[in-house]
Each structure stands twice: as C-alpha cells, then as structure tokens.
Amino acid sequence: MKVLLLKDAKEDDCGQDPYIRELGLYGLEATLIPVLSFEFLSLPSFSEKLSHPEDYGGLIFTSPRAVEAAQLCLEKNNKTEVSKIGLDTEGETCGNAEKLAEYICSRESSALPLLFPCGNLKREILPKALKDKGIAMESVTVYQTIPHPGIQGNLNSYYSQQGVPASITFFSPSGLTYSLKHIQELSGDNIDQIKFAAIGPTTARALAAQGLPVSCTAESPTPQALATGIRKALQPHGCC
C-alpha cells in the first residue's frame, strides 16, 4: 500500500529516512516529497546578538532552521560565545508551547531576557505564555518559509507513476497551504479515498479547518508514532 509523506528526506545513521523505514516495517511503501523551502534572514543582526551572551539569560530553539542559523553565524565569525548562554536542550522534549513555557519557568532564574530565533510564521503562543509568567523574551526572525519550487512537478510525477496514495501525511500547516490545491486537483473525485494524517495537533487543526477529515494524528512527532497511527488508520474502520 502506497503512502505519501510531504517532507524532506533525512537519512539517519543507517542511510535511510526513518519514516520510510518505520512505515516499511508495516508493509507500507512510503514516498517523500518536500513542500517547503527556507531562506535565512537577518543573520548579521542575529550574529551580533550571539556575540553578547552576557545580555541574555538563555536561548530557545523550537525549529531545526533556527539551530542552523545559529551554526551559520558562529561558523562565519569563528565564535563560540553561544556556549556561554544557558541553553538547555531538555526543553525539546516538551510537547507544546504551554508545556515549554512551564518548563522554562521552572528552570529560568536569570532576570535577563531569553533570545528566541524563529521563523516568519512563528505563532504567538510561546511568547504570550512566557510573558504571562513574567519571563522576558526577545524574538529575532532568522528564516522565512517559502513553497518548495518543485511541489507541483513532483506531485504530478508521483500521481502519474503511483496513482492516488492510500494516505497523505502533512507535517505543518504551511506545508498544507502550499500543497493542498495541487493534491485536490490531482486526486479529483478519488480524494475521498485518501486517509489524511497529521504529524501533530496543530497540523491536524489546519486540516480540519480546510474541511478535510483527519484519519490520523501521530501521538508524538516521531517515525514510530506516525507509522503506528497510519497503520491503524488504513485498517478497516481504522482511526487513530
């Protein structure tokens, strides 16, 4: 059974995308199609802020692109000052903005603001949650999300060769926005046969807002959880 994942391919230590491997364990043939691209912004400004760690109580990373932006700044300027800022990676395990805010509040003791490198599509939930708890935060937009230039061509190729997939998984609301029109046009009347899956609750709400039935929302944003959920959804009368 063929399933489509709208994400970039990322090989692990075994040389294979973990989502493809996990779905394959259930006999599902997964194809990955990227729908998002990213452009870095304001790196000189961000680099300047990183060069003054004494001005901040910590760094908050909520996306891989923000981490990449920090790496670019440090590599370009051969700086290591970021290591002096109180970055705590355990916060990455928090499931949503409210929980992350609670975690930060429990660990944050500095009166200095936290530095939050983010994208142009960031939501205001985390900044508001921290503000409500009296924790200062300074946001800096370091990347913007744009449609992948190959969306339409890659989807056309997939549908012409593979047909309508049994399931399509969306990994972000912006990915849904940029790809949905093409999917609707290519699927036609067969779109009702597709089980739509979401990597998390925010994306699931975006699907529902578009009037699409959500057959599966992964219990956690991991290959294992998504594979388990899709397998259940594709079973007769399945839902997860």
Side-chain angles (χ1 to χ4, degrees), residues 9 14 35 51 92 94 97 110 116 132 138 151 191 205-206 208 231 233:
C14 299
V35 294
S51 69
E92 294 175 357
C94 295
S110 172
F116 179 34
D132 291 344
E138 181 179 334
I151 291 179
I191 197 167
R205 288 192 290 270
R231 176 176 176 269

Side-chain angles (χ1 to χ4, degrees), residues 65-228:
R65 266 68 57 186
V67 175
E68 291 173 17
Q71 291 174 331
L72 286 172
C73 290
L74 295 174
E75 291 170 0
K76 181 178 180 181
N77 297 295
N78 193 28
K79 294 176 179 177
T80 58
E81 286 88 345
V82 70
S83 64
K84 301 176 184 177
I85 300 179
L87 173 61
D88 196 326
T89 57
E90 293 178 21
E92 294 175 357
T93 62
C94 295
N96 56 44
E98 289 84 357
K99 289 183 179 179
L100 180 56
E102 291 284 355
Y103 177 85
I104 293 172
C105 187
S106 69
R107 303 292 292 270
E108 176 61 17
S109 59
S110 172
L112 297 173
L114 299 173
L115 184 59
F116 179 34
C118 56
N120 63 313
L121 299 180
K122 83 172 192 308
R123 304 171 70 206
E124 294 300 323
I125 296 177
L126 178 59
K128 182 179 184 302
L130 290 176
K131 182 180 180 180
D132 291 344
K133 296 180 181 300
I135 297 177
M137 185 178 74
E138 181 179 334
S139 300
V140 54
T141 302
V142 297
Y143 70 91
Q144 65 177 346
T145 304
I146 59 176
H148 191 283
I151 291 179
Q152 186 170 4
N154 290 334
L155 285 172
N156 286 343
S157 178
Y158 177 87
Y159 271 78
S160 64
Q161 297 176 22
Q162 307 286 346
V164 178
S167 173
I168 298 178
T169 300
F170 295 91
F171 285 75
S172 69
S174 52
L176 170 67
T177 299
Y178 296 144
S179 61
L180 180 57
K181 178 181 178 181
H182 303 304
I183 289 171
Q184 290 173 324
E185 292 175 349
L186 291 166
S187 301
D189 294 337
N190 294 318
I191 197 167
D192 293 337
Q193 302 174 13
I194 301 173
K195 300 291 187 181
F196 290 105
I199 194 62
T202 301
T203 304
R205 288 192 290 270
L207 278 164
Q210 292 290 342
L212 297 174
V214 182
S215 299
C216 170
T217 301
E219 292 186 0
S220 63
T222 64
Q224 295 80 7
L226 180 64
T228 299

